[in-house]
Amino acid sequence: MSEKYFLKHIDRPESNTLAFYLQQGGYRTWKRVLQEKSPEQIIEEVKRSGLRGRGGAGFPTGLKWSFVPRQSASPKYLVCNADESEPGTFKDRYLIEREPHLLLEGMAMAAYAIDSRQAFIYIRGEFAYGAQTLERAIHEATEAGLLGKNIQASGYDLQITVHRGAGAYICGEETGLLESLEGKRGWPRLKPPFPATKGAFGCPTVVNNVETLVNLPVILSLGADRYAAIGSNEKNTGPKLYCLSGHVNRPGLYEFPLGKNLQELIYQEAGGIRKGKKLKAVIPGGSSVPVLRADEIDVAMDFDALVSRGSMLGSAGVIVMDEDTCMVKALLNLATFYSHESCGQCTPCREGTMWMKKILSRIEHGQGRPEDLPLLEDIARHIQGRTICPLGDAAAMPAASFLKQFRQEFIEHIEQKKCPHSK
Amino acid sequence: MPTLKIDDKEITVEPGASVLQAALANGIEIPHYCWHPALSVAGSCRLCLVEIEGSPKLQLSCATEARDGMIVRTQTESVKDARKSMLEFFLINHPLDCPICDKAGECLLQDYTWKYGTSHSRMVEDKRERPTKDLGGNILLYRNRCVLCSRCVRFYQEVVGDPYLFIEHRGYHSDISIFPGKGLTHKMTGNIVEICPVGCLIDKDFLFHARVWNLQRSKSVCPGCSSGCTIYLEHKDRRVFRIRNRENPAIGQQWICDDGRYLYHRYENLNRPESPWTRQAGELKPQTWEQAMIYAVEALQKNPGRLAAIGSAFASCEENYLMRKIFRQILGCEYLSFYAPAIEEADTVYRSGFTIRGDKSPNRKGAGLLLGDQTDFYQAIESGRITRLFLINGDPLLHLTLEQKRILAKLQELWVLDIQSPEWDSVAAHFWPIACFTETQGTFVNAVGQVQRFQRALQPPQGVRPGWEVLLDLLARLAPGAGMLSAADVLDALAMEEPAWRSISYFKLGDQGLPIESR
Ligand SMILES: Cc1cc2nc3c(=O)[nH]c(=O)nc-3n(C[C@H](O)[C@H](O)[C@H](O)COP(=O)(O)O)c2cc1C
Ligand code: SF4
Ligand code: SF4
Ligand code: SF4
Ligand code: FES
């Protein structure tokens, strides 16, 4: 059993109170850091820890922070991305509802490192309970002098504000998020400029995922070296949450070092496939990443190993599909999601996602044509890499991979003029 | 200044220019919808993708700054493939109703599809269908044709400064809309029809009236106010069908207002005689121009002491200059002034700086420079200082009050040159019908002192002559040998005499005009 950092208190419903958190030694590291470390030292330490962002792209966190200008006349902002809406992903929600102080402590460290005095938590609108929990935790921590003005007599101020979204997946994309935070439509921005130089309200901004931020107290209490020893290699370090859903016996949230073997995760930890069925496919990193066939899952769940396997770690939302799953229907489901969530700015994403959905719906309902398959591939190819934000890619990649990995199923639908799985 | 290569052509641009701007300025076409020179960069239509050496993905030419040493390619297979697919995306839900679309012939969806797209659609599903919406004023939104470039939205945000238009819904259902209960206001609505790259925004004033390729364009200047926006008069069959913006960076007015855009209607049904008339025994008797001239030459030379001449802020510089020449230099009149309407409203300045002036005349400045201060000639008539008057007008909205008519009736003799006669029927002794601004040429000086040329679009009706030509005729009869034959000659003569016009000639004015010299 590897040590747990995030799910340690999963059996303790009171884990979200300050009293409980303090009792477990919480905020001790924050106080020490505030006294002993300069922002530069924290950034250095985080760089050495090898921490990569848990929001999906795996960008090195310390490096991201170092892009924020040291000297800046305008304020700087830290934004915690708590919009968690990726299908198959439910890790941030747990952290918010059950470990809010761990998140606040991590945010305090990140904010201090980039010299931000105002931080925001952009939380998905549906997380009403989470937002309440965070508000209460912020209140508690501020009352206790751990946040707010002149924290621990250090001269450093930090205010954390919770901002609730209105239920759009695209507001999880960091620049769509910033637009929404500013009160505008959640339309992702053209980059450059990147948020580090021009983010919220035109000021330098760091956007980090919830899970990224909760790693900071771990890094700063263990020290970079001990932290970096966790994980599969020096490029994939630290503890990691995995969300298992679909046709497994024990779906749910799991914590292991980064690089846990996917096959072990499914068969040993999650108890294998339901009802003794055979595995057909796994989407390892949330709905946006390419799908793996059952024979491809002996792979480490880390950023690089999955890329070599043709997929991605993404949000580590592992979606498991058994032999009875209709892959056309599964892809139709994804296409419906992306066409619904496209913000509509970019032509290929706005038009292409809906077109793909319509074609897939036809195929699923027995009206497919042989030429639909190359057409779908063409549409996906014409979306990919040609949009403002990665949602376009996220819609295109699964389509391309489903068609490649499970082409025979699509052909069967077309030849039999019906879904072979439907009764 | 950065030098880059686009399709092997070496190009030097201003620092900060985009790759798209660099290409367009050098005659290299890169198709684009959302980018517009007067608006912010949206980068959303994705049509302007190009290859830039060193970037694995295609890059947006509108949002990429042209940098020194950059190597850009706009004609590679991958660029062509991207354009073709983008146009396919634009077209899958488009109704393809060009035959009944007003924009046909000047539509960028037509043009780009023809040049860069394919001629067949691979979509067999039903198209998105949305009924046409009336946005208020003259503007219709043919929603099925929209390419969602957001130009119109950004126009209202950035130029007008009042975000009336917005994009409603999301993704595939995105739709241009206005806030409930609020029609499009501001006198700027017609501009969005012009900047819409497709036939989505349509002007009712023009709808189904003509096909654009049958129209001829004349370069003109709007007489709607003293901003003097440059315009195109688009016409055929001796009729103006619409007015379009003719951008003139020299005057900083990148748009035209709705007052100006629809003002040609004021000149459509002018009530004017087919020849000069003269009052005889209370009756208005038609005359030939020859008769009118012969009489005037004789009558004007008699007793010029109390003869006065009144120019107009609606007459061209040439006409006002000829008035001065004839009446001050040749006839020696003392009293010279000009007509201009009272200024009854403040200037309207929009967010981008575009200004609609409260001064609703096109040439107050030019008339003032040539004829001196505007004085109250009614008072001078009342006091007996003026007994005979020669007047040119041109304001289609001129309305004489009863008091003014009473005073004018005191004159012994009144000559009027105007574009319509009803206001003068009871007071003038002689009426000479002259061409209105669409039928003549000349120059105006706008509020900031730019001298600008307007061309003739239409032939004046039978019997109606351009004001400058009439005055030149009169001048030639009074003082033969002046040597001027055309409006251009008149301007050049004016420029020789008037210091403010020193650096100006008809030829040098070009399309943008030139500023007068301030002393
Ligand atoms: C369509 C889309 C949705 C996203 N949703 C989320 C999200 O819900 N939460 C999140 O942390 N990151 C999300 N991201 C990634 C963010 O853009 C960003 O990369 C991340 O918040 C950076 O945090 P990190 O560096 O800590 O990983 C999304 C990206 C895309 C393109
Ligand atoms: S890729 Fe899709 S979601 Fe992203 S900005 Fe473009 S249209 Fe919006
Ligand atoms: S109405 Fe015209 S200008 Fe406005 S978004 Fe649509 S295509 Fe663009
Ligand atoms: S601002 Fe004045 S000159 Fe310009 S279009 Fe309007 S009325 Fe004409
Ligand atoms: S013109 Fe560049 S994206 Fe539209």
Side-chain angles (χ1 to χ4, degrees), chain A residues 371-416:
Chain A
E371 61 266 39
D372 286 334
L373 303 185
L375 176 57
L376 278 169
E377 283 164 329
D378 235 24
I379 299 172
R381 187 171 62 80
H382 288 152
I383 298 175
Q384 209 173 334
R386 294 178 185 168
T387 56
I388 292 180
C389 90
L391 187 141
D393 299 345
M397 283 188 305
S401 75
F402 271 65
L403 281 161
K404 176 166 151 264
Q405 304 271 52
F406 301 97
R407 197 175 195 86
Q408 193 49 39
E409 278 197 38
F410 288 80
I411 295 174
E412 281 165 17
H413 276 73
I414 293 169
E415 285 177 348
Q416 298 176 20

Side-chain angles (χ1 to χ4, degrees), chain A residues 168 185 187 340-347 350-351 354-355 358 362 369 378 381-382 386-388, chain B residues 43-46 57 81-82 85 88-90 93 122-126 128 148 167 169-172:
Chain A
R185 279 174 78 87
W187 269 12
H340 182 66
E341 297 297 340
S342 161
C343 83
Q345 266 188 106
C346 320
T347 311
R350 177 183 67 240
E351 304 294 337
M354 184 59 96
W355 193 7
K358 287 179 174 175
R362 254 197 309 108
R369 309 164 303 162
D378 235 24
R381 187 171 62 80
H382 288 152
R386 294 178 185 168
T387 56
I388 292 180
Chain B
S44 60
C45 76
R46 317 303 288 179
K57 287 204 243 173
D81 171 68
S85 74
E88 181 176 38
F89 285 134
F90 282 119
N93 282 297
R122 295 188 289 177
M123 194 177 81
V124 296
E125 286 77 17
D126 287 343
R128 181 173 48 211
L148 282 164
I167 294 180
H169 306 304
R170 187 172 73 188
Y172 181 80

